[in-house]
């Protein structure tokens, strides 16, 4: 059953604490010093009561000492040597099981006026944005080609009868006379001035869509697409664009 380990909290002189000799972890103390100078020392060091050995937060203690602090907040736990070693290993190891949501991390870093004291550098942010950009597949689609019009069907060959020609001529004269009297254009009439509709893409054809973006918009679009794919998996870029356009159209109604 889970329980709270016996412990007490107090301010301890930096010189009264000592690092654990078996600690295999090595950290960047200068980065911690920069954070302490920017934000102050927060949190606490964890030390074993019997030896005052640090089992968690050794590099924070080293940073505090290098930054010139005389005392640090300390949680003192009353445990044996084996438990102290286990706690030290767990403290170093458990954080390694986590991972970043790169899109949210990039958004957070970009929202700050500067990265001082965060442990992140401008170069880190640039590399992160480059990695997010590499996750977007750029597809060069080919424009759809209009489907050629079908060739006119050839008239069936049959013997020409003079009586048929005469009847056809009379019928044509009658039709011409009726058309002259009709003020409204007939739906079936196709004249030379009729505008042909633009050709529609064939089913399954790819249509190229080119959208110019500023550098700022490109970074935002890259982050948004990465966020969507982190949440929904590998989503085709076309589906993302269409969904966004539909949402925008609905809001305008």
């Amino acid at each position: 059953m889970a329980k709270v380990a016996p412990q007490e909290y107090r301010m301890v002189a930096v010189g009264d604490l000592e690092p654990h000799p078996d600690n295999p972890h090595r950290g960047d103390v200068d980065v911690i010093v920069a954070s302490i100078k920017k934000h102050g020392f927060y949190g606490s060091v964890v030390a074993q009561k019997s030896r005052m050995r640090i089992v968690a937060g050794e590099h924070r203690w080293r940073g505090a000492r290098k930054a010139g602090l005389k005392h640090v907040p300390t949680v003192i736990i009353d445990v044996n040597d084996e438990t102290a070693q286990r706690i030290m290993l767990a403290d170093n190891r458990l954080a390694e099981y986590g991972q970043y949501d790169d899109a949210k991390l990039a958004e957070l870093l970009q929202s700050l006026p500067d990265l001082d004291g965060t442990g992140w550098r401008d170069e880190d942010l640039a590399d992160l944005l480059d990695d997010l950009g590499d996750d977007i597949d750029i597809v060069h689609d080919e424009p759809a080609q209009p489907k050629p019009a079908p060739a006119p069907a050839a008239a069936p060959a049959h013997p020409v009868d003079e009586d048929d020609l005469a009847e056809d001529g009379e019928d044509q004269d009658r039709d011409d006379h009726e058309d002259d009297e009709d003020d409204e254009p007939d739906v079936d009439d196709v004249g030379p001035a009729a505008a042909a509709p633009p050709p529609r893409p064939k089913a399954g054809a790819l249509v190229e869509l080119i959208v110019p973006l500023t550098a700022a918009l490109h970074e935002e679009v890259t982050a948004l697409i990465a966020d969507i794919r982190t949440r929904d998996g590998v989503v085709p870029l076309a589906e993302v664009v269409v969904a966004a356009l539909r949402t925008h159209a609905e809001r305008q109604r």
Side-chain angles (χ1 to χ4, degrees):
M1 181 177 178
K3 62 180 181 180
V4 177
Q7 55 192 290
E8 60 177 305
Y9 177 91
R10 67 172 184 253
M11 296 295 291
V12 176
V14 171
D16 291 343
L17 297 167
E18 66 176 52
H20 200 292
D22 297 332
N23 187 6
H25 191 258
R26 298 293 180 265
D28 191 330
V29 176
D30 290 337
V31 173
I32 298 174
V33 170
S35 176
I36 293 173
K37 290 182 177 180
K38 181 73 175 181
H39 315 113
F41 188 98
Y42 55 86
S44 61
V45 174
V46 180
Q48 181 185 8
K49 183 176 182 179
S50 61
R51 298 175 180 267
M52 295 304 286
R53 284 180 173 174
I54 300 171
V55 296
E58 175 184 326
H59 295 92
R60 301 180 69 193
W61 167 77
R62 291 183 182 276
R65 185 176 62 175
K66 191 171 183 178
L69 295 180
K70 301 302 181 182
H71 295 78
V72 290
T74 305
V75 172
I76 301 173
I77 55 175
D78 190 5
V79 295
N80 59 31
D81 291 348
E82 180 184 339
T83 301
Q85 288 177 325
R86 289 180 178 274
I87 292 174
M88 178 182 62
L89 289 169
D91 184 71
N92 290 332
R93 179 61 171 162
L94 296 183
E96 298 177 2
Y97 283 98
Q99 59 183 354
Y100 285 105
D101 180 328
D102 289 344
K104 287 187 176 181
L105 174 60
E107 181 180 358
L108 177 59
L109 294 176
Q110 288 180 298
S111 69
L112 298 175
D114 60 67
L115 302 181
D116 294 348
T118 65
W120 294 87
R121 304 168 302 170
D122 292 334
E123 296 87 345
D124 299 326
L125 176 56
D127 291 341
L128 180 62
L129 292 174
D130 286 342
D131 291 340
L132 288 173
D134 292 339
D135 291 338
I136 298 179
D137 298 328
I138 301 177
V139 180
H140 300 284
D141 296 337
E142 297 181 359
Q145 300 297 325
K147 187 176 181 179
H158 61 276
V160 179
D161 189 283
E162 294 181 359
D163 293 337
D164 292 339
L165 291 175
E167 292 177 0
D168 291 342
E170 293 175 358
D171 293 340
Q172 183 65 40
D173 292 340
R174 189 182 309 110
D175 292 340
D176 293 342
H177 179 67
E178 291 176 354
D179 290 341
D180 291 340
E181 294 177 352
D182 190 0
D183 292 334
E184 297 294 331
D186 190 75
V187 176
D188 296 331
D189 292 341
V190 179
R200 300 181 61 185
K202 296 184 292 183
L206 298 176
V207 180
E208 184 175 12
L209 178 63
I210 300 176
V211 181
L213 298 173
T214 64
L217 286 176
H218 179 270
E219 292 180 358
E220 182 178 2
V221 168
T222 299
L224 289 172
I225 292 175
D227 192 22
I228 290 172
R229 289 180 169 173
T230 299
R231 183 192 63 198
D232 301 335
V234 181
V235 181
L237 187 56
E239 293 183 10
V240 176
V241 173
V242 171
L245 292 175
R246 285 174 179 164
T247 301
H248 182 74
E250 290 174 357
R251 290 177 177 174
Q252 300 304 315
R253 292 174 183 169

